[in-house]
Amino acid sequence: MKSHLLALYNNMEEAGLVLDELNATKLPGFSMKDVVIKSPIEHPELSEKLGKRPVYVQLFTLLGVLFGPITGLTLVASAQASFIYQVRGGRPVVPVPPDMVLTYEFFILSGVLMTVIGCFIGWKLPGNRSPLYNTRVSEDKIGILVKAEESTIPYLNEIFKKHHSLEILGEGVK
Amino acid sequence: MSLNNLIKNWTSFRSRRPYLDQYKNADYKWAMVIDLDACTGCNACTTACYAENNLPVVGKERYEKGHAMHWLRIERYWGEGESVPVDMVPDRGAQFLPMMCQQCEAAPCEVVCPVGATHHSADGLNTQVYNRCVGSRYCSANCPYKVRYFNWWQYADSAWPNPLELQLNPDVSVRSKGVMEKCTFCVQRLRESMDHAKTDGRLVKDGEVTTACAQACPTSAITFGNLANPQSQVAKKWKNQQIALEKDEQKKDENMRGYRIFEEFRTYPSVVYLERVRDLEA
Amino acid sequence: MSHMINHDVPDDNEIQIEKKFVPKDLDIDKDVSWAQINKDVLRSLDRPRPVFWVIFFAALALFSFGVYCEKYQYENGLGVADLNNPQVWGLYIATFIFWIGMGHSGTLLSALLHIIHADWRKPIYRYAEAMTTFSLLTAALFVLIHLGRVWQFYYVVAYPNERWVWPNFSSPLVWDATAIGTYLTSSLLFLYTGMVPDLAICRDNATGARKKLYTFMSLGWQGTDRQWATFRVTYMTLACFLMPLAVSVHSIVSTDFAVSQNPGWHITSFPPYFVAGALYSGCAVIITLFILLRYVFRFEAYMTMPILNKLIKMTFAIAMVWNYLNIIEYSTVWYGANEIAKQQLLDKMTGTYAPVFWGMVFCSTVMPFTLLIKFVRTHLPTLMVVSLILNFGMWLERVQIITPTFGHSQYPWTWTSGWWPSWVQFGIVAGSFGWFTMLFMLYCKIFPTISMYEVKEMVHDQSKMLKAKGVA
């Protein structure tokens, strides 16, 4: 049975020390993978301590920029070639420069859409709510959320308290 | 399916028009010759056009605002190379130029229409599909001749008060407000005669069909016909004047009178004008 | 003597002082706390100065008048606008370009400055992006308004239908529709993605119906490390997409004219000219809105004078680029071999529309030089007036691109002079300003206009930097 614990800290330095200690201590039923930082701004120097957590958004972008122009160009060119073909202004029925312009726009549109979709998937949003949240996290506090076996929770609680946590939230913890 | 179509007809889709002998094997290519020497500026052609094509008479006020719908207009120019005081009529009178849609082979208006309401037909006409037109007026903006006319008002409400609506040509639609229109070379007449000829299993003979303006012209200044038929009057005149449809610069002898307007814009118009001959000594 | 020498050579203490940052160089006060940032920005959603409502209702009134004019035009036909045969576009297309142009600086400011890590963008990019979105919406309105049969506007959209009839993909208007659609979608997503962390802040502080709205829109953002990492990559990627997109959109708008053969339009330098003009007018509007929001929402602590100064420098630089391209445009026509284009240029400068042309020269070429005066840069009411004049000049620029060309195109028989738009056109143009202002003011009231998390980042980075310099 795993349980959650969220501790709030005043500043990054304190939170950093906690993470260092969590990293150093070996506790049963707990690993750094179970640690989540919740912060009002991005903290690359804190996230570093969590180890490598890859982001896959770029793959979606790549997919988008490949898919968009190819389908776009195919659709436009085959639409021009469909039905009774209509000559306009003496230009070729499938003209290159206009199709390039449109392909370019499809390239960007599909790239943007896929990036945003990739981002939502990366966020696991909407819908995925990670447990234990405190509104002060969106203001100016740094939260550290851990997930561990029930038996390990008191030890973690100890570590959090040692570094002057402002508040500790969690199941069965006061 | 359309993808198949695209791959199969790639070369034809990629070719530019007009090219040499484009209409050699075609049945029809409608074209016109206007002899300015014969034109007296009597406006009979304009009147015939109004009657044939259900053009609304807009009235003085709207005419002054530039809302006139004259598909075929007679332009009046004073003098040539000579300066004439504004309020005086020069000795030799005015010069007249009947101006209508030039049915360009490479029409600037066709390229820019966002919905494809205007495009080129197989018999060389610059068509205008009223039902498709959304009225962006881009075609008019891009037409170097400015021969496209926009329905600024719902003319059908006021232009033909009862019982004048009975004079409307049933073969031609009455356009609503917000669409662009222009000279069609009387496409309703062409269509009818082409259909008749097809029923008889032949092509339309020269002189069998003509436009309203050509029919009404008292001096026969306007010649209309099928350029694809080398025996037609029009084709002969084009040939005599040494004008080739697919060229933007005509190499011709000096005493030739034929010219097309704005050839340098590479619009390849289908209307040839014959210059007025003036005796400058007299 | 030794006393004098002592004075010339500064002691250690004085060197220390010289190394120190002068506080006025900071874009934002370093002592402002994160909680204070939340409080100040959230307050803008709550209690603006009364002038907010004055502006809002004035805009609403103007918009209502515009709607009335449009209804009148819809029922009677475009004839009521006094457009005529050569003058087919009039103010509608000119104002369309104006709004499209305005929509460009939001993205420039946000995306470009984000890519090059110019931190001063952070307090001001949000409203600039919102401005982009709303001016694009306004521009899209003009595409519809100028149509003769607006009820058939969907013919321009490439939708599958049983007749297999497609729009004409060779038409610059279809490129326009595609480009504007892409730009609107992308900039909306850019705006929204960048706003999610702030919406979470709003959610945490709101009650009632607003709480529901923010909860829905913030998608359950909790600021976890994974969310932030994904966010950073996404935001940078979007910025990289939006930069070239912004350039392409206004280039495509310029092809509406450059692709045609008309004198005064058929100019190779039109795409960069339009892009520069777009950025120019957009920057001027950003300055206008800067001053407005700063006052209305009491944002003095965030929209600071150093930031405004940087904004003005950028505007001036872009104004000079625009001037240069303007000179290029006219000189190529002047020294070119195209007689008609040259005549048209002369007609533009001396004919009926000479006031429009010289008005543009005064407002957009001469006026930016006043930005060199320190008083103009620091006295906000004056700056507001100057920025409005720059904008008006850019509107005149669009009018003088469109109107004189129709009045003096290739065909002499159609040369006209003295064309003047009717009250319906002016009414619709005014209504569009009302529509834009109304939407923008509503937006400012509902969504945070300053990016809270990025201002926090800014304060954080600044204090880190100061610490590194040994000042704080």
Side-chain angles (χ1 to χ4, degrees):
Chain A
M1 183 60 195
K2 294 231 173 183
S3 183
H4 290 92
L5 205 60
L6 175 75
L8 296 185
Y9 289 92
N10 234 339
N11 56 46
M12 283 169 57
E13 286 76 17
E14 286 173 0
L17 290 175
V18 176
L19 288 175
D20 285 340
E21 181 150 357
L22 288 176
N23 236 338
T25 355
K26 293 267 176 293
L27 288 169
F30 168 78
S31 76
M32 278 314 269
K33 278 183 191 148
D34 298 328
V35 180
V36 171
I37 306 171
K38 297 189 176 181
S39 55
I41 65 170
E42 195 193 355
H43 283 315
E45 53 272 58
L46 281 190
S47 329
E48 262 173 25
K49 298 182 180 179
L50 298 175
K52 231 180 155 96
R53 291 190 172 175
V55 175
Y56 296 107
V57 176
Q58 300 95 322
L59 286 179
F60 285 90
T61 312
L62 181 68
L63 219 65
V65 296
L66 290 178
F67 172 81
I70 293 170
T71 17
L73 182 61
T74 315
L75 281 177
V76 168
S78 50
Q80 282 161 336
S82 74
F83 199 42
I84 307 162
Y85 71 78
Q86 297 178 333
V87 180
R88 293 191 188 93
R91 312 277 172 92
V93 175
V94 184
V96 173
D99 290 7
M100 283 298 114
V101 170
L102 293 170
T103 307
Y104 182 78
E105 295 302 321
F106 284 119
F107 160 77
I108 291 197
L109 181 63
S110 145
V112 167
L113 286 178
M114 284 307 281
T115 307
V116 172
I117 288 172
C119 174
F120 283 5
I121 291 174
W123 283 349
K124 300 193 175 139
L125 298 179
N128 179 290
R129 306 278 192 276
S130 104
L132 294 181
Y133 179 71
N134 188 299
T135 55
R136 288 159 82 189
V137 163
S138 71
E139 195 176 327
D140 56 354
K141 303 288 180 272
I142 316 277
I144 296 179
L145 176 75
V146 291
K147 187 171 83 174
E149 289 291 340
E150 295 259 354
S151 52
T152 325
I153 291 288
Y155 297 103
L156 290 167
N157 203 3
E158 247 351 87
I159 296 174
F160 284 158
K161 273 195 180 144
K162 201 166 83 190
H163 292 280
H164 319 290
S165 63
L166 294 169
E167 198 178 339
I168 298 179
L169 302 155
E171 295 102 357
V173 179
K174 286 279 168 289
Chain B
M1 184 181 151
S2 44
L3 201 58
N4 262 343
N5 195 12
L6 179 70
I7 296 161
K8 224 163 47 194
N9 300 316
W10 182 250
T11 36
S12 109
F13 284 157
R14 287 291 307 145
S15 65
R16 297 198 48 177
R17 289 165 180 78
Y19 48 82
L20 185 66
D21 294 336
Q22 186 184 332
Y23 291 102
K24 200 173 182 186
N25 300 317
D27 290 341
Y28 302 106
K29 157 66 201 165
W30 302 108
M32 197 178 261
V33 175
I34 298 177
D35 190 347
L36 298 182
D37 212 15
C39 178
T40 60
C42 70
N43 274 309
C45 48
T46 310
T47 315
C49 185
Y50 267 74
E52 171 74 20
N53 291 304
N54 297 342
L55 300 185
V57 177
V58 298
K60 192 177 170 188
E61 200 177 298
R62 284 179 179 175
Y63 188 95
E64 277 174 351
K65 281 196 169 169
H67 293 169
M69 304 299 291
H70 44 206
W71 285 4
L72 169 56
R73 61 185 188 228
I74 300 287
E75 293 168 3
R76 193 176 59 181
Y77 296 101
W78 296 112
E80 187 182 25
E82 51 195 306
S83 68
V84 180
V86 184
D87 50 348
M88 274 177 54
V89 178
D91 293 343
R92 296 185 193 87
Q95 295 206 66
F96 302 102
L97 182 90
M99 189 69 194
M100 79 297 277
C101 174
Q102 304 287 298
Q103 312 287 347
C104 313
E105 277 297 293
C109 56
E110 291 171 2
V111 192
V112 296
C113 175
V115 292
T118 178
H119 64 92
H120 225 68
S121 72
D123 43 2
L125 290 181
N126 173 247
T127 61
Q128 175 71 25
V129 187
Y130 306 128
N131 282 340
R132 182 69 179 164
C133 179
V134 293
S136 76
R137 307 188 289 292
Y138 200 171
C139 51
S140 170
N142 210 20
C143 175
Y145 311 95
K146 299 276 180 260
V147 286
R148 294 181 146 262
Y149 299 94
F150 187 72
N151 283 278
W152 300 105
W153 309 90
Q154 183 73 17
Y155 291 114
D157 292 347
S158 56
W160 301 282
N162 192 23
L164 284 184
E165 82 272 9
L166 294 174
Q167 72 160 29
L168 290 172
N169 184 350
D171 293 338
V172 180
S173 55
V174 174
R175 281 77 61 186
S176 74
K177 74 175 176 204
V179 300
M180 190 58 82
E181 56 184 64
K182 60 161 198 89
C183 165
T184 60
F185 268 6
C186 290
V187 69
Q188 66 281 4
R189 294 178 172 212
L190 304 181
R191 182 53 37 211
E192 192 189 0
S193 73
M194 282 193 284
D195 288 349
H196 274 307
K198 200 176 175 189
T199 318
D200 298 350
R202 59 178 173 87
L203 290 181
V204 174
K205 281 179 271 186
D206 193 34
E208 189 180 335
V209 62
T210 192
T211 58
C213 51
Q215 194 181 1
C217 182
T219 57
S220 300
I222 304 176
T223 316
F224 178 81
N226 180 7
L227 198 62
N229 172 12
Q231 302 310 314
S232 70
Q233 284 288 317
V234 161
K236 280 180 189 160
K237 283 194 177 175
W238 277 57
K239 206 174 167 212
N240 287 343
Q241 296 299 330
Q242 303 175 350
I243 289 175
L245 186 69
E246 75 286 350
K247 293 233 171 73
D248 57 36
E249 204 180 348
Q250 311 291 348
K251 296 247 177 339
K252 55 188 182 188
D253 302 342
E254 259 185 26
N255 53 353
M256 289 290 140
R257 294 161 58 214
Y259 68 95
R260 295 190 292 179
I261 298 176
F262 286 157
E263 278 199 314
E264 67 271 26
F265 293 148
R266 301 211 173 94
T267 52
Y268 308 98
S270 302
V271 180
V272 165
Y273 288 90
L274 303 184
E275 218 175 317
R276 185 170 177 187
V277 183
R278 311 201 90 188
D279 186 0
L280 294 174
E281 304 294 312
Chain C
M1 193 66 200
S2 66
H3 181 76
M4 296 283 289
I5 290 167
N6 266 347
H7 242 279
D8 281 350
V9 181
D11 59 28
D12 283 354
N13 206 17
E14 269 174 324
I15 291 172
Q16 191 72 42
I17 288 165
E18 267 179 28
K19 267 186 182 171
K20 260 189 188 175
F21 274 86
V22 189
K24 78 170 181 193
D25 275 345
L26 289 178
D27 287 335
I28 201 161
D29 183 12
K30 67 183 187 331
D31 293 329
V32 61
S33 75
W34 289 4
Q36 185 64 32
I37 295 171
N38 271 13
K39 211 177 126 208
D40 285 347
V41 178
L42 289 174
R43 201 179 53 182
S44 75
L45 309 179
D46 224 26
R47 292 184 287 111
R49 279 186 211 266
V51 71
F52 172 90
W53 297 107
V54 175
I55 297 171
F56 178 77
F57 284 109
L60 185 66
L62 213 55
F63 172 61
S64 313
F65 180 63
V67 170
Y68 167 75
C69 291
E70 169 58 19
K71 179 175 170 284
Y72 183 65
Q73 176 179 297
Y74 184 95
E75 282 166 357
N76 293 290
L78 277 157
V80 298
D82 272 6
L83 295 166
N84 62 26
N85 188 24
Q87 292 284 358
V88 288
W89 280 348
L91 296 185
Y92 294 149
I93 293 297
T95 316
F96 160 75
I97 307 168
F98 174 78
W99 284 112
I100 287 279
M102 240 179 78
H104 275 65
S105 268
T107 313
L108 168 94
L109 195 84
S110 185
L112 176 66
L113 297 183
H114 179 68
I115 293 170
I116 62 173
H117 294 287
D119 274 358
W120 58 273
R121 95 187 233 283
K122 288 179 174 171
I124 56 170
Y125 84 91
R126 175 72 51 72
Y127 80 80
E129 277 180 24
M131 179 204 85
T132 293
T133 309
F134 295 127
S135 51
L136 282 176
L137 282 176
T138 319
L141 276 189
F142 273 97
V143 175
L144 300 180
I145 288 167
H146 99 285
L147 286 183
R149 298 205 299 168
V150 60
W151 49 95
Q152 308 283 31
F153 74 95
Y154 58 90
Y155 284 175
V156 188
V157 184
Y159 64 96
N161 57 74
E162 81 287 0
R163 288 162 294 173
W164 287 37
V165 181
W166 298 94
N168 175 13
F169 294 108
S170 315
S171 167
L173 283 188
V174 173
W175 310 346
D176 262 9
T178 319
I180 293 169
T182 304
Y183 193 45
L184 189 58
T185 316
S186 308
S187 55
L188 249 178
L189 286 173
F190 192 51
L191 172 68
Y192 176 61
T193 315
M195 207 162 56
V196 167
D198 274 0
L199 287 170
I201 299 177
C202 296
R203 171 199 65 197
D204 291 347
N205 291 285
T207 52
R210 280 200 170 201
K211 174 129 189 151
K212 273 189 190 143
L213 173 76
Y214 295 136
T215 309
F216 175 73
M217 289 193 73
S218 60
L219 301 168
W221 172 273
Q222 295 196 341
T224 65
D225 54 289
R226 193 180 289 275
Q227 283 172 345
W228 278 117
T230 313
F231 177 80
R232 186 180 54 187
V233 176
T234 308
Y235 203 67
M236 184 53 99
T237 315
L238 288 183
C240 293
F241 274 123
L242 272 156
M243 263 318 290
L245 177 61
V247 173
S248 84
V249 170
H250 220 60
S251 314
I252 286 174
V253 170
S254 82
T255 58
D256 282 358
F257 309 100
V259 159
S260 85
Q261 287 181 331
N262 291 337
W265 289 2
H266 190 60
I267 296 168
T268 315
S269 69
F270 251 37
Y273 175 58
F274 268 52
V275 173
L279 297 179
Y280 182 16
S281 65
C283 279
V285 176
I286 289 176
I287 293 178
T288 314
L289 295 178
F290 185 103
I291 300 167
L292 188 75
L293 293 180
R294 183 184 147 103
Y295 177 74
V296 171
F297 294 121
R298 307 175 178 90
F299 280 152
E300 287 85 356
Y302 306 100
M303 299 188 176
T304 58
M305 294 311 277
I307 294 179
L308 183 61
N309 206 24
K310 284 174 179 143
L311 202 55
I312 293 170
K313 280 181 201 162
M314 198 168 84
T315 310
F316 182 76
I318 293 170
M320 291 306 112
V321 172
W322 177 83
N323 268 341
Y324 168 71
L325 286 164
N326 221 358
I327 293 166
I328 289 268
E329 186 200 323
Y330 297 131
S331 51
T332 43
V333 170
W334 185 258
Y335 291 106
N338 190 339
E339 260 323 296
I340 305 170
K342 199 169 165 180
Q343 273 180 28
Q344 197 265 343
L345 181 62
L346 268 176
D347 181 64
K348 200 187 269 187
M349 289 171 170
T350 57
T352 324
Y353 305 109
V356 177
F357 180 84
W358 294 109
M360 171 202 81
V361 169
F362 174 75
C363 294
S364 299
T365 308
V366 180
M367 279 312 274
F369 287 97
T370 58
L371 294 176
L372 297 175
I373 304 165
K374 193 167 182 192
F375 173 76
V376 177
R377 288 204 307 273
T378 50
H379 190 247
L380 292 182
T382 316
L383 186 61
M384 180 99 172
V385 172
V386 169
S387 72
L388 287 174
I389 290 176
L390 296 183
N391 263 307
F392 181 64
M394 288 315 285
W395 184 74
L396 288 181
E397 186 234 346
R398 275 60 181 250
V399 174
Q400 66 87 31
I401 287 174
I402 308 283
T403 308
T405 287
F406 283 128
H408 198 97
S409 63
Q410 294 108 335
Y411 204 69
W413 198 80
T414 60
W415 287 350
T416 50
S417 59
W419 176 80
W420 192 251
S422 74
W423 62 271
V424 177
Q425 275 195 63
F426 282 116
I428 288 177
V429 169
S432 76
F433 282 87
W435 158 255
F436 170 82
T437 316
M438 189 183 76
L439 286 181
F440 186 77
M441 287 321 235
L442 268 184
Y443 171 88
C444 294
K445 189 78 179 60
I446 297 175
F447 298 107
T449 351
I450 290 183
S451 172
M452 289 179 260
Y453 70 95
E454 274 173 294
V455 172
K456 285 175 194 170
E457 265 174 30
M458 198 173 160
V459 174
H460 179 70
D461 291 348
Q462 233 172 40
S463 60
K464 231 174 26 184
M465 184 188 69
L466 289 176
K467 240 177 233 166
K469 304 251 183 193
V471 181

